[in-house]
Amino acid sequence: MADSNFIDYVKILCRSGKGGAGSRHFYRAKYVPKGGPDGGDGGRGGHIILKGNKNMWTLLPLRYRRHVFAGNGQSGSGGRSFGKDGDDVILEVPCGTVVFDAETGEYLCEVVDHDEEIKLLRGGRGGLGNWHFKSATNRTPRYAQPGEPAIEKTVIMELKLLGDVGLVGFPNAGKSTLLSSLSAARPKIADYPFTTMEPQLGIVSYRDNRSFVMADIPGIIEGASEGRGLGLRFLRHIERNAVLLFMIPADADDIKREYEILLDELIKFNPELEDKHRVLAISKSDMLDDELMAEMEKDLPQDIPHVFLSSVTGTGVTELKDLLWDAITDENNRIEPATITHRPLDGHHRVREEDEFIFENEPMAIEEDEEEFFYEGDDWDEDVEFDWVEYEEDEPQK
């Protein structure tokens, strides 16, 4: 996977900007001996913002941008001059990106729609200048607020492909062959296990110029939920699918047993997958006759619809499309992003090579002018306590 352009899991270090310090300035002009305080406010620090982009399909750009730092706010100055706000950093991510806290595995947010913006880390607010603290009893306040500190967090971004149908099956079950026959996708097809090393998307044409998206993931083996094989790493891509298409070859020893193994692995990964609509396809059915099909139907699971399928001869393809389309358009099978419960990241759901990535953190040093501004002078009162004043920002926060 190191040489692949499809990256669906990255770990990056983000830091918002710190707020600028308020000014402790007094007005000075000829013939104005006591001008009073006029120190301006410091600028706010830059935000870290996530923005959905429907034209992106991988997190590859973030793989080479492991440190994301927003700009710091500038300090205020005399004449009630406000400091400049820090520059925001907008990270464009594919639709379907989910963000977790790398330390705790806690779910933070997700980007689903195109041009949707989510403020991942808020920049620190700028400090108030000394003109805010003047009063009838305190005409010469010689203090100002410092800016709020930056927020630093290491996050993990997971990409979950947005598809209507997800293909689930053991290696060499014929999933890639079906996808290539139904759509214009050209996944690699070979006669050895785990030929599919990364998820593939294909658009399947249906009647009356309608279509739906089918997602193919690497084969699942028994014990995948415990870290075996490749399927566990890519099971996240079927969490958003409306329908799960289980594919089991006709030459399997026990079709019902293999179906139960696949379903059990999905439930162990995310219990909510049990509630998804399921369809069973018996692939490679061109080797069966009608009498053998009738005999096999007695041992198939009776709680889900099934179809005998051959991607080579086209047998059962039309019937399969009808079953999938009816399931996709079923109102009871609609998936809203707000209803999806993202399980926290644990040891089984992490990618080892990403979690072992070593960050070289840059020290969060205090700027020279800010340090000198606050701590020089004989009139500094160390016992002064500041109360932050709430104020609304120009841009809304989601």
Side-chain angles (χ1 to χ4, degrees):
M1 293 302 298
D3 299 331
S4 173
N5 287 332
F6 182 81
I7 304 298
D8 61 350
Y9 186 106
V10 294
K11 180 180 179 182
I12 62 176
L13 175 66
C14 298
R15 182 195 301 163
S16 63
K18 57 184 177 181
S23 175
R24 184 171 55 90
H25 188 271
F26 293 90
Y27 181 68
R28 294 291 185 267
K30 193 175 182 180
Y31 307 118
V32 185
K34 297 180 180 179
D38 67 344
D41 301 344
R44 69 159 177 84
H47 305 310
I48 304 292
I49 301 174
L50 302 180
K51 183 177 181 180
N53 187 343
K54 65 180 180 181
N55 298 317
M56 295 180 63
W57 65 281
T58 175
L59 295 172
L60 181 64
L62 293 179
R63 190 182 183 94
Y64 303 103
R65 191 180 179 185
R66 300 300 189 128
H67 303 83
V68 180
F69 300 149
N72 296 326
Q74 294 184 359
S75 302
S77 57
R80 297 188 183 180
S81 297
F82 288 7
K84 180 182 177 182
D85 292 341
D87 295 331
D88 297 334
V89 175
I90 299 179
L91 297 177
E92 291 192 346
V93 295
C95 297
T97 300
V98 185
V99 185
F100 299 90
D101 189 322
E103 301 298 331
T104 63
E106 178 187 3
Y107 163 77
L108 298 178
C109 63
E110 62 177 326
V111 182
V112 179
D113 301 322
H114 178 63
D115 286 338
E116 177 184 5
E117 292 189 358
I118 295 180
K119 195 177 296 180
L120 180 61
L121 296 182
R122 175 189 289 273
R125 289 179 294 178
L128 300 179
N130 64 342
W131 73 278
H132 285 278
F133 304 105
K134 65 181 180 180
S135 64
T137 58
N138 185 13
R139 298 186 179 184
T140 57
R142 300 181 181 275
Y143 48 83
Q145 281 185 333
E148 280 189 332
I151 301 176
E152 185 174 283
K153 187 182 294 291
T154 303
V155 299
I156 290 175
M157 295 188 183
E158 278 190 351
L159 173 61
K160 300 182 180 181
L161 296 179
L162 304 178
D164 299 310
V165 180
L167 293 175
V168 182
F170 288 97
N172 282 3
K175 302 185 297 298
S176 298
T177 305
L178 175 64
L179 183 65
S180 63
S181 63
L182 295 181
S183 68
R186 292 296 176 262
K188 184 178 179 180
I189 301 174
D191 59 352
Y192 56 86
F194 296 108
T195 306
T196 302
M197 297 292 292
E198 60 187 40
Q200 300 284 339
L201 286 179
I203 300 178
V204 181
S205 300
Y206 193 61
R207 299 187 182 97
D208 301 327
N209 295 324
R210 293 174 293 182
S211 62
F212 56 89
V213 180
M214 181 177 289
D216 176 25
I217 66 171
I220 302 174
I221 62 175
E222 187 174 5
S225 59
E226 301 174 358
R228 299 177 183 174
L230 296 175
L232 175 71
R233 175 169 177 176
F234 300 104
L235 279 177
R236 69 177 72 98
H237 295 291
I238 63 175
E239 288 183 317
R240 296 187 185 276
N241 299 152
V243 182
L244 299 181
L245 176 59
F246 288 77
M247 292 194 64
I248 300 177
D251 57 355
D253 295 334
D254 189 342
I255 295 179
K256 185 176 181 180
R257 171 59 180 165
E258 292 195 4
Y259 165 74
E260 293 174 350
I261 292 175
L262 291 172
L263 182 60
D264 184 61
E265 293 299 326
L266 298 185
I267 295 175
K268 288 180 179 178
F269 179 79
N270 189 342
E272 290 190 358
L273 295 177
E274 185 179 8
D275 300 329
K276 289 184 179 293
H277 191 93
R278 301 187 294 272
V279 176
L280 177 61
I282 312 301
S283 61
K284 305 178 183 180
S285 297
D286 50 309
M287 64 180 68
L288 305 177
D289 54 18
D290 295 339
E291 182 179 353
L292 190 54
M293 289 183 185
E295 186 67 24
M296 293 177 61
E297 284 186 345
K298 300 178 182 179
D299 299 328
L300 295 180
Q302 302 300 319
D303 56 337
I304 63 172
H306 63 271
V307 59
F308 287 91
L309 174 72
S310 175
S311 303
V312 177
T313 62
T315 304
V317 171
T318 302
E319 183 181 355
L320 176 64
K321 287 184 178 181
D322 293 336
L323 285 176
L324 295 177
W325 183 259
D326 292 340
I328 294 172
T329 55
D330 188 356
E331 290 296 331
N332 297 327
N333 202 28
R334 295 285 183 180
I335 297 180
E336 299 295 336
T339 62
I340 298 178
T341 303
H342 300 282
R343 78 287 180 274
L345 290 179
D346 56 26
H348 296 307
H349 299 137
R350 292 177 180 265
V351 180
R352 185 182 61 184
E353 56 267 27
E354 287 290 329
D355 283 351
E356 293 177 353
F357 181 81
I358 300 176
F359 293 107
E360 296 179 358
N361 297 353
E362 297 181 1
M364 300 176 62
I366 301 178
E367 298 178 0
E368 295 181 0
D369 56 344
E370 180 179 337
E371 183 177 2
E372 178 182 359
F373 180 80
F374 277 108
Y375 300 102
E376 281 193 357
D378 298 333
D379 299 321
W380 173 259
D381 187 356
E382 296 181 355
D383 297 329
V384 173
E385 295 183 358
F386 299 109
D387 293 328
W388 283 98
V389 180
E390 297 291 340
Y391 60 92
E392 297 294 334
E393 297 187 0
D394 294 338
E395 64 276 13
Q397 179 187 8
K398 288 192 176 183

